[in-house]
Amino acid sequence: MTVTHPRPIITTGRLATRMSEQEQAQLKDLLKTWAPDATFVAEGKPLEVELGMGNGMALYERAKANPAMNFIGSEIYLNGLQTLLKALQKNPLPNVRVYPEDARTLFTSGLLQPESLARVLILFPDPWPKSSHHKRRIVQPELIESIKQHLQKNGELWVVSDWPSYAYHTIATLYPIKGLQLEQTVRKAADCKPSARLAEDGAPGGEAALGPQLLMQAPVWWQTTKYQEKAQIAGRNPWFIKAIKTS
Ligand SMILES: C[S@@+](CC[C@H](N)C(=O)[O-])C[C@H]1O[C@@H](n2cnc3c(N)ncnc32)[C@H](O)[C@@H]1O
């Protein structure tokens, strides 16, 4: 009997814009240079993993500012990868590696050891604001459970979004996961579910019910991301959610 695995749900809209075959070939070569491997992962430095890093420049700045830590950035948008790889080609950082696949597969690939990560970041994930698209949001219980298993004790998971309904969705998803402790927010998952409907993006009332003031502030190591800049120009500020692995 043949066992068929369901195709993973797509979590993003575009994979590349205007990239010549030559550019794609160059990208492939650079990706080989910066691929994460078992030696890098086992170096023993605190390890950060970012899912969907966009153009990767915020990760680049964090890595430059913190050479005592190692960083793996994942992204599937080729133009985003290209920006980071060009920066690394120009000014190499030995503590950075790039994973050009669906970020969710990093946690099933066997590359990362259980209980090994100091920090996992999901910054401004694709918002998928329509209810019928919420299943495409990358923050889902299975992924968070897998991230938790790879976090070391007291390791941190940060999810940052400029969409109130994504903040509610994240709290509702993280709250029930045993061994993950949400910091700062006093909201319970049950509070977030009805509020999430209230807070459908664009609808009035959502911000009042939770509001970024009841969440974390930007951490000291924060570097502004490209998407964050765009969101702020459009008048949307970030909502910072942090969870700690407790057991
Ligand atoms: C809205 S952008 C934010 C990018 C970046 N974090 C920033 O703040 O500028 C979301 C990014 O996540 C990436 N993405 C979405 N699903 C992904 C997945 N399953 N694996 C890797 N990257 C993904 C998209 O390609 C996109 O670049």
Side-chain angles (χ1 to χ4, degrees):
M1 191 178 78
T2 318
V3 179
T4 50
H5 293 282
R7 283 163 66 103
I9 290 175
I10 291 166
T11 54
T12 193
R14 56 182 191 168
L15 296 178
T17 7
R18 287 191 302 278
M19 192 179 283
S20 68
E21 281 187 12
Q22 193 193 0
E23 282 178 307
Q24 291 197 34
Q26 278 169 354
L27 187 66
K28 226 172 158 183
D29 280 345
L30 281 172
L31 282 170
K32 281 187 203 143
T33 309
W34 294 97
D37 60 15
T39 313
F40 179 78
V41 166
E43 266 180 28
K45 291 182 181 178
L47 184 56
E48 177 198 281
V49 167
E50 181 174 354
L51 289 77
M53 65 182 168
N55 72 7
M57 293 314 292
L59 179 143
Y60 185 92
E61 292 304 326
R62 287 194 304 278
K64 197 162 86 174
N66 194 351
M69 216 170 146
N70 278 344
F71 295 78
I72 298 177
S74 71
E75 178 53 58
I76 40 181
Y77 181 53
L78 296 185
N79 305 68
L81 291 165
Q82 190 183 39
T83 305
L84 174 61
L85 290 165
K86 278 186 178 166
L88 287 169
Q89 194 181 21
K90 204 167 161 202
N91 291 305
L93 293 179
N95 57 338
V96 172
R97 292 292 184 275
V98 180
Y99 185 77
E101 312 281 344
D102 187 323
R104 295 169 294 183
T105 65
L106 239 187
F107 297 91
T108 51
S109 64
L111 178 68
L112 303 175
Q113 297 304 308
E115 313 242 325
S116 65
L117 303 179
R119 194 154 79 199
V120 174
L121 307 183
I122 305 178
L123 308 182
F124 304 96
D126 290 295
W128 297 108
K130 287 187 193 163
S131 311
S132 59
H133 287 160
H134 285 182
K135 59 180 180 289
R136 300 203 176 281
R137 290 177 164 176
I138 196 166
V139 172
Q140 298 294 344
E142 304 73 32
L143 177 67
I144 301 300
E145 183 61 50
S146 194
I147 288 173
K148 185 201 81 182
Q149 283 165 14
H150 286 85
L151 277 172
Q152 61 194 34
K153 187 133 193 262
N154 296 321
E156 301 178 1
L157 166 63
W158 286 82
V159 181
V160 182
S161 177
D162 54 317
W163 292 86
S165 85
Y166 210 119
Y168 285 103
H169 166 85
T170 299
I171 292 168
T173 307
L174 266 51
Y175 193 88
I177 307 252
K178 285 202 179 71
L180 265 192
Q181 175 75 51
L182 278 161
E183 289 220 327
Q184 183 85 10
T185 175
V186 291
R187 292 281 149 178
K188 297 193 174 82
D191 294 338
C192 283
K193 280 179 182 157
S195 307
R197 285 199 291 277
L198 183 71
E200 279 305 325
D201 296 311
E207 294 235 7
L210 176 59
Q213 75 282 355
L214 290 178
L215 298 174
M216 298 297 294
Q217 300 296 307
V220 283
W221 44 262
W222 184 255
Q223 299 285 340
T224 303
T225 77
K226 183 171 176 197
Y227 186 88
Q228 180 185 2
E229 278 170 6
K230 282 192 191 168
Q232 277 174 342
I233 289 168
R236 298 190 307 271
N237 288 313
W239 298 43
F240 290 88
I241 294 165
K242 176 187 181 188
I244 296 274
K245 158 118 171 209
T246 53
S247 58

